[in-house]
Amino acid sequence: MIAMVVKIITETNDIQRIKEVAEKLVVETKKEKGCIEYDLYINIEDKTSMSFIEKWETKDDLENHLNSEHFKRLYPEICKYKIDGETVLYEKHSV
């Protein structure tokens, strides 16, 4: 399993716009093959900090998502309002 956390920092007046676009992205992404989880989380203490937390069955499934029509259309719209952030990719290891 692959997990990815995409952290986005934005301005206060752009929060609602990001949430509107993210809702469309989440709905479409959850229909994709290999998508286990894909949701937007908003920091409880700082509403300008939010993260997409996603889990995929395989790295290929994630790559297909990143190349999907809806991702290529909607994620750049979110990035218009992004002032900072980071993306971290994880691979699950059983202990």
Side-chain angles (χ1 to χ4, degrees):
M1 179 173 51
I2 302 294
M4 189 161 74
V5 177
V6 180
K7 183 176 181 182
I8 297 170
I9 307 294
T10 190
E11 299 285 346
T12 303
N13 57 338
D14 293 328
I15 294 170
Q16 187 57 39
R17 181 63 186 137
I18 287 178
K19 286 169 55 176
E20 290 169 2
V21 177
E23 181 179 352
K24 295 174 188 174
L25 182 58
V26 168
V27 167
E28 289 302 314
T29 299
K30 285 184 173 182
K31 298 175 188 175
E32 290 182 54
K33 176 188 173 294
C35 179
I36 297 168
E37 178 183 346
Y38 193 95
D39 287 294
L40 180 68
Y41 290 81
I42 304 203
N43 186 316
I44 293 170
E45 296 177 1
D46 178 5
K47 303 292 187 206
T48 65
S49 175
M50 53 191 74
S51 294
F52 283 97
I53 298 178
E54 43 192 286
K55 293 180 183 173
W56 297 91
E57 289 181 14
T58 68
K59 192 169 182 189
D60 285 343
D61 292 331
L62 171 60
E63 290 297 326
N64 289 335
H65 162 66
L66 297 174
N67 289 308
S68 68
E69 181 278 329
H70 59 270
F71 181 83
K72 287 182 175 183
R73 176 174 40 88
L74 295 170
Y75 191 68
E77 183 71 21
I78 291 169
C79 288
K80 289 180 186 177
Y81 305 102
K82 177 180 166 182
I83 58 174
D84 197 9
E86 69 175 332
T87 300
V88 181
L89 192 62
Y90 301 90
E91 184 175 36
K92 182 177 181 178
H93 289 274
S94 299
V95 289

